Amino acid sequence: MKQLYHSYDEAVALFESLAARRPDLFAVEVIGQTWEKRDIVAVTIGRNVADASKRPALFFTGTIHAREWIGLELAIGFAQYVERNIDYDHDIQEALEQAAIYMVPCANPDGFEYSRNHFSFWRKNRRQNADGSYGVDLNRNFPVGFAKSNKPTSNIYGGPEPFSEPETRALRDFVEAHPNITIALDYHSQGNVFFPAHDFRHEDTIDTTDMNVLCANMAEEIRKISDREYGIHQGKPPAKLIAGSGREYYYSRGILATVVEVGTRNISDYLDDMIEHIREHIPALIAAAREAPNYAREGALPRPGNFRATFVGIDGVTLEWEPYEEDGEREIYFEIYRSGREKSYCRPFNLMGLTQANRYADSNLRSDTPYFYHIRAVDKRSGRKSPFAPVLAVRTHVADEEYHRTYFPIPDKSGYVAEKIRDNAPHFGVNSLFVGVSEAKGVSYGVVTIPLKTIPEEAVIRRARLRLYPMNRVGVTVEKYGEWNAAIIDRDSIGELTKFEDVAAMRPRTYVGRPTLSNHLTQGIWRSWEFSEIECRALQEQIVHKEAVFRIEGPKTLNVGRTSQMMQWDIGYGKFGGGLAFRPHLEITYTLPPKGLELFPKQSFTVRSESIEAGKIAAGFDGKGRKIYATFDFELGSLPDLDYMQITRAYVVLNPVKVYAKENIRFHLEMIDADAERDYGAIRDRRIIENIGYDVSVGELKSEEQVFVFDTYAIQEFGNALRAGRNIAFLLRPSSAQKLVKNSVVEWHSAHPEFTPKLVVEYLHKRRRPVAPVTNLRYRIENGKIRLEWRNPDDPDFRGVFVIKNPFRKPISPYDGDKLYGGPDDWTFDDFGALDVPKYYAVFTYDDVPNFSEPVDLEYRPKGE
């Protein structure tokens, strides 16, 4: 396996030969020397490479850690691809015409050669330290967040001071000499994950969205090639953030920077894995290079400002942003992207709209569903694009007949049990969920117990999904082996949740959704198990027990020579958890069996040209071919208060009694103004509110009951009449394709109750409007944290509040930012909020539906601002 990898000298010779063959595309230069006097080389790639410094650039670094050979091999593979394909690959042509690529294929030549020839697991460079040990971790030797250490033997020893090493000084000097660098990619192994740069705060920055989209676009190119999914993780709490890395140094200079962790081993099987990694990362690199011009400092387009949702409905969202100032030199339009998951790509297939306006309406959405929107500006003439506005998250409202619940685990009933650990109880409610198998733990299951106390027993579950946040996949060391499943456990098989033997013996009632394959495991992107209709029924069965127990399981055997196939999921509780924002949860959309009410006409009329007959419903054509109309009214006073009723369905039932009509006649039912006069002229010139259902022909009657179903607009108008205290009226109108029809009449009404028309209204007892918002929202600093306090409304329908944080705009929906708290309390802490970062907080009250109130917000400003 190792013999197929290139030595450092072979790699340098290869790059030099490329430059000799194609001096228009490649240039090689020495940018420094190592402790052992090896040259550190940089390779420049670009059309007319001599002018590379005049174009925005992507900066590639590889193998800064000696044992992570992927960086050097990918650099070789990419350069060879460029030479072979430049003449016909449109993507690489466009990338190199608009941008340059700088590559330092191996940032640690001494350490790499030591790893290759002496000790494969070597990580550092080859400096001789004062205590006689060797090596500095070069990716801890940069100044941003540098951590002083007195343990030179440590694998992460950062050196005596920042830039103490010739290798990091060479990288520093190169970057400082090339201000055209806009994107930096630092290649490592292992993990199949992108780690965007951070600023040592657990807060999103204005360009977090740009970095996440860059990584997501690259990840989609990887998935397209190999079906492998890459995660994106920016160091969320309570993780200890890496200190002194090159990524943060590049970021501090205004460069979008990310680490790319490739594969599941430092030195992969070359033929089985490494070649595939190279193949899948080449299009990802090209995609990143094509973005480099959009982040150039000169002539940069400003990102769209105040991107927000001004309307969120059941099936539609309206987006707005600040208009650009008029600029005669530019013609600007905007790209709007929509995705169904966090940290998603922005590619042509999820580009939802192009507009020159500062408003966009998105429709035909699914109810009670999260959506994520991105927007950027585009200069039509140059094709250059702006950075992205911060991502906008919304959730469409529940449909008229729907309710929503989000449930979090019961801490002391949720944790993991491992075969080789004697006492598993301490893991529950504290530690991560370790699921899979390893030599150290043996087989390990996750147990997640979800309370279902607040969902009615008669609920009919329409949709559900169980979600877990993957916080570390490094323990999954085989690329395509094993799968991870979630199962609802049969209640009769549940024993002691903290005993491995009992959990292993549990019987699944059903598995949920599709399994997660090992090559689909990611870090930093929620994994969802979507319930099918049958699985929703199985979940429904758990409601009577007031809780549902899920077992999360992975592979149970190890491949020969491997020590772990273990995934780690955040539990969201305890000192190891990331808090509420990363807690496992079960989302349920459900409905209830509707209540029904039958109304009978207050009055009815048959209206002929020469007479009006009360108490009878007949329609058709008289002996002179004139239309005969029928009308009937209903009183609505017996219906509940509309503010606490949601009409789910309404329809009129008519029974034909006598049919004296020709086959080519059809009958239409219309909702009309109940206050309209019942004379022939007024009826003929009536105002139609809405047609009800579909017209019926004489041939469809045959004495059968006819049902005319209200459409959505008709239900709205029905609700308006109910709210205004008005009656509701209907009219039967005949029509025919023939010019003249005579003596064709259908009688629809008699005194017999069986044939009397009726209006059937099906409804749910459901509050339509939110409870009042909170009052007296304020904050103070307590024990180094921001404490928020407020006063809840005094309303029996009040169930709790959502507290949302957003550093970029006032949250205008309960999903527009980071959720800090959900529940009935009147205070909370921003546990991981940085005191020196300005931000907005908003509090939304909710009821049992839930309906959310308008936000009550405040702006936090650090002292001194």
Side-chain angles (χ1 to χ4, degrees):
M1 175 184 72
K2 292 183 181 179
Q3 302 309 313
L4 298 177
Y5 284 88
H6 296 83
S7 71
Y8 185 68
D9 287 342
E10 290 170 343
V12 172
L14 189 150
F15 289 120
E16 289 175 341
S17 68
L18 286 174
R21 289 197 301 272
R22 292 297 303 267
D24 58 321
L25 282 178
F26 301 96
V28 179
E29 62 181 304
V30 175
I31 62 171
Q33 276 198 332
T34 66
W35 288 102
E36 295 178 352
K37 304 304 180 184
R38 289 185 176 89
D39 289 340
I40 304 168
V41 301
V43 180
T44 302
I45 307 175
R47 287 284 204 184
N48 191 10
V49 73
D51 294 332
S53 62
K54 299 177 182 178
R55 296 190 293 275
L58 179 146
F59 184 48
F60 172 113
T61 52
T63 315
I64 197 169
H65 287 146
R67 64 193 181 206
E68 299 173 14
W69 298 4
I70 175 63
L72 179 58
E73 291 298 327
L74 176 57
I76 292 169
F78 181 75
Q80 291 173 329
Y81 179 89
V82 171
E83 184 192 31
R84 289 195 303 266
N85 296 279
I86 188 66
D87 292 331
Y88 56 84
D89 185 326
H90 174 75
D91 288 341
I92 193 65
Q93 288 173 359
E94 181 178 315
L96 296 183
E97 284 168 1
Q98 302 296 323
I101 299 174
Y102 300 129
M103 307 179 78
V104 179
C106 181
N108 185 2
D110 292 350
F112 169 70
E113 283 298 311
Y114 190 79
S115 169
R116 202 174 68 83
N117 293 300
H118 300 287
F119 181 65
S120 296
F121 209 60
W122 188 254
R123 171 185 171 100
K124 302 186 285 184
N125 73 350
R126 293 298 295 167
R127 164 201 271 268
Q128 185 170 7
N129 298 311
D131 65 351
S133 65
Y134 281 86
V136 166
D137 182 344
L138 296 176
N139 207 39
R140 302 294 186 276
N141 188 239
F142 291 85
V144 180
F146 177 80
K148 188 76 172 178
S149 170
N150 58 0
K151 297 180 179 179
T153 57
S154 168
N155 246 353
I156 57 171
Y157 172 58
E161 61 187 17
F163 291 132
S164 62
E165 307 308 295
E167 296 91 346
T168 54
R169 290 197 298 272
L171 294 173
R172 175 199 64 192
D173 294 345
F174 187 86
V175 169
E176 290 182 355
H178 294 83
N180 57 325
I181 295 173
T182 63
I183 293 174
L185 305 177
D186 188 17
Y187 280 84
H188 291 249
S189 59
Q190 58 184 331
N192 290 350
V193 61
F194 293 90
F195 288 125
H198 55 73
D199 63 357
F200 289 89
R201 300 175 179 91
H202 293 296
E203 304 257 17
D204 285 345
T205 56
I206 191 65
D207 46 19
T208 291
T209 295
D210 295 293
M211 289 188 286
N212 283 343
V213 171
L214 171 69
C215 295
N217 286 346
M218 295 178 68
E220 181 60 14
E221 294 293 332
I222 293 167
R223 187 204 60 79
K224 181 176 69 177
I225 297 295
S226 63
D227 194 40
R228 183 176 289 109
E229 295 188 19
Y230 266 60
I232 304 169
H233 190 72
Q234 202 181 15
K236 294 300 181 183
K240 183 179 179 181
L241 300 176
I242 292 173
S245 79
R247 172 189 58 188
E248 271 64 61
Y249 169 69
Y250 307 139
Y251 183 57
S252 72
R253 298 187 60 82
I255 298 168
L256 293 186
T258 184
V259 160
V260 190
E261 295 278 2
V262 181
T264 55
R265 304 196 87 175
N266 293 130
I267 306 169
S268 299
D269 183 313
Y270 197 94
L271 293 179
D272 192 27
D273 293 323
M274 181 57 70
I275 289 176
E276 185 173 296
H277 293 322
I278 293 170
R279 284 186 61 247
E280 68 190 3
H281 275 276
I282 286 173
L285 260 171
I286 295 171
R290 294 179 68 179
E291 278 293 325
N294 297 324
Y295 293 95
R297 295 165 185 79
E298 291 186 10
L301 282 176
R303 70 182 80 240
N306 196 20
F307 182 44
R308 61 201 185 276
T310 54
F311 168 78
V312 178
I314 293 172
D315 59 1
V317 173
T318 300
L319 311 172
E320 293 188 14
W321 54 94
E322 297 306 308
Y324 267 37
E325 294 183 8
E326 293 293 331
D327 186 342
E329 296 182 1
R330 289 173 172 166
E331 187 174 353
I332 301 297
Y333 66 91
F334 300 92
E335 295 178 340
I336 298 99
Y337 298 85
R338 185 226 298 158
S339 178
R341 73 173 192 173
E342 305 91 332
K343 302 177 190 174
S344 182
Y345 51 75
C346 292
R347 309 295 285 164
F349 32 89
N350 71 322
L351 175 63
M352 302 308 300
L354 301 171
T355 180
Q356 287 188 304
N358 66 314
R359 184 178 183 274
Y360 177 76
D362 195 14
S363 57
N364 301 318
L365 304 179
R366 190 182 191 188
S367 64
D368 194 27
T369 301
Y371 291 100
F372 301 87
Y373 289 94
H374 295 87
I375 187 173
R376 71 191 317 184
V378 184
D379 185 334
K380 180 180 177 182
R381 296 174 185 172
S382 69
R384 187 168 172 180
K385 302 181 180 183
S386 76
F388 287 93
V391 61
L392 175 64
V394 302
R395 190 183 193 100
T396 49
H397 293 172
V398 292
D400 292 343
E401 72 280 10
E402 292 177 343
Y403 300 80
H404 175 87
R405 294 288 183 274
T406 297
Y407 292 113
F408 298 96
I410 301 170
D412 60 358
K413 292 185 176 183
S414 300
Y416 80 91
V417 292
E419 182 181 20
K420 295 184 178 180
I421 295 178
R422 180 171 298 177
D423 184 8
N424 285 291
H427 306 149
F428 278 65
V430 177
N431 214 329
S432 309
L433 299 177
F434 288 91
V435 179
V437 60
S438 70
E439 286 188 349
K441 287 183 169 66
V443 175
S444 184
Y445 296 99
V447 178
V448 178
T449 304
I450 300 291
L452 299 174
K453 294 180 180 179
T454 63
I455 187 169
E457 289 190 9
E458 68 272 22
V460 179
I461 297 176
R462 288 186 165 183
R463 299 190 298 277
R465 64 174 181 169
L466 178 68
R467 308 189 79 208
L468 272 68
Y469 188 81
M471 61 186 301
N472 194 335
R473 64 144 292 151
V474 171
V476 180
T477 62
V478 187
E479 289 284 0
K480 296 179 180 179
Y481 170 69
E483 61 183 39
W484 280 254
N485 287 281
I488 302 174
I489 296 303
D490 188 326
R491 296 293 305 182
D492 294 335
S493 71
I494 296 176
E496 175 58 55
L497 295 179
T498 62
K499 290 185 177 179
F500 174 83
E501 295 78 8
D502 287 7
V503 174
M506 289 176 177
R507 294 191 307 273
R509 169 64 180 80
T510 183
Y511 285 93
V512 175
R514 300 180 63 182
T516 296
L517 305 178
S518 60
N519 57 309
H520 292 170
L521 280 177
T522 61
Q523 179 175 344
I525 296 178
W526 285 93
R527 179 60 56 178
S528 298
W529 284 269
E530 307 280 347
F531 288 59
S532 69
E533 183 178 349
I534 293 174
E535 292 156 5
C536 283
R537 289 194 213 121
L539 179 60
Q540 223 167 284
E541 295 171 3
Q542 311 306 309
I543 296 175
V544 68
H545 304 292
K546 304 301 182 185
E547 66 181 28
V549 176
F550 293 87
R551 185 177 70 190
I552 316 301
E553 57 187 80
K556 299 174 179 62
T557 59
L558 287 168
N559 278 2
V560 174
R562 297 299 178 97
T563 61
S564 177
Q565 194 72 346
M566 182 79 74
M567 186 64 195
Q568 182 181 358
W569 314 82
D570 199 334
I571 198 171
Y573 294 103
K575 63 180 181 179
F576 302 109
L580 178 64
F582 305 99
R583 195 167 293 167
H585 55 272
L586 175 67
E587 297 179 354
I588 297 175
T589 305
Y590 70 94
T591 189
L592 296 171
K595 298 178 181 180
L597 190 64
E598 294 183 349
L599 304 178
F600 298 95
K602 169 191 172 186
Q603 57 184 0
S604 57
F605 302 92
T606 296
V607 183
R608 303 174 184 269
S609 63
E610 71 281 356
S611 65
I612 299 176
E613 184 178 0
K616 184 176 182 181
I617 297 177
F621 295 89
D622 64 15
K624 295 183 178 181
R626 293 171 298 193
K627 290 183 178 181
I628 302 170
Y629 301 98
T631 72
F632 45 95
D633 302 9
F634 295 90
E635 287 185 336
L636 304 181
S638 60
L639 289 172
D641 183 348
L642 187 64
D643 283 342
Y644 294 89
M645 178 185 74
Q646 184 66 62
I647 300 170
T648 59
R649 186 166 59 175
Y651 51 93
V652 173
V653 179
L654 294 175
N655 287 278
V657 179
K658 297 178 181 179
V659 180
Y660 307 104
K662 297 180 179 179
E663 293 290 330
N664 60 356
I665 296 178
R666 303 187 72 84
F667 293 90
H668 309 256
L669 184 65
E670 301 169 355
M671 184 188 296
I672 64 171
D673 190 343
D675 296 327
E677 293 293 330
R678 296 304 191 267
D679 64 73
Y680 197 78
I683 290 297
R684 183 187 59 207
D685 300 330
R686 70 202 172 279
R687 181 180 73 88
I688 302 173
I689 297 175
E690 178 64 312
N691 293 305
I692 305 299
Y694 294 95
D695 56 310
V696 296
S697 68
V698 170
E700 293 173 297
L701 299 183
K702 306 300 182 185
S703 299
E704 293 180 356
E705 180 179 88
Q706 299 298 313
V707 178
F708 297 84
V709 181
F710 286 37
D711 64 13
T712 304
Y713 180 71
I715 289 178
Q716 289 178 359
E717 288 298 316
F718 181 38
N720 291 337
L722 180 60
R723 182 176 285 110
R726 301 193 307 266
N727 291 345
I728 190 168
F730 299 91
L731 176 139
L732 266 174
R733 171 179 64 87
S735 69
S736 175
Q738 286 185 280
K739 186 173 183 180
L740 184 63
V741 179
K742 297 180 180 180
N743 296 318
S744 291
V745 180
V746 173
E747 291 186 15
W748 299 80
H749 173 258
S750 75
H752 195 291
E754 182 181 350
F755 300 108
T756 301
K758 60 184 176 182
L759 171 60
V760 180
V761 181
E762 296 179 0
Y763 66 93
L764 297 175
H765 180 77
K766 178 179 175 182
R767 184 176 177 124
R768 284 174 169 267
R769 299 177 182 176
V771 298
V774 303
T775 55
N776 197 26
L777 176 62
R778 59 204 183 277
Y779 75 85
R780 57 190 170 93
I781 307 302
E782 183 177 306
N783 297 325
K785 297 181 181 179
I786 300 171
R787 177 186 171 107
L788 298 160
E789 300 173 349
W790 58 88
R791 182 175 296 126
N792 289 323
D794 183 13
D795 190 311
D797 288 336
F798 169 79
R799 293 293 179 269
V801 301
F802 276 13
V803 181
I804 306 298
K805 175 178 71 173
N806 193 313
F808 314 115
R809 57 180 173 262
K810 294 179 180 179
I812 58 176
S813 87
Y815 302 95
D816 186 20
D818 292 329
K819 183 179 177 183
L820 302 181
Y821 174 74
D825 290 340
D826 57 6
W827 64 275
T828 193
F829 281 104
D830 183 359
D831 285 326
F832 303 108
L835 297 182
D836 59 344
V837 175
K839 64 205 79 176
Y840 297 95
Y841 296 98
V843 180
F844 301 81
T845 62
Y846 63 88
D847 58 17
D848 201 47
V849 174
N851 296 300
F852 290 97
S853 70
E854 291 296 311
V856 174
D857 54 61
L858 61 78
E859 182 179 8
Y860 168 80
R861 285 284 173 186
K863 286 185 177 181
E865 283 202 7

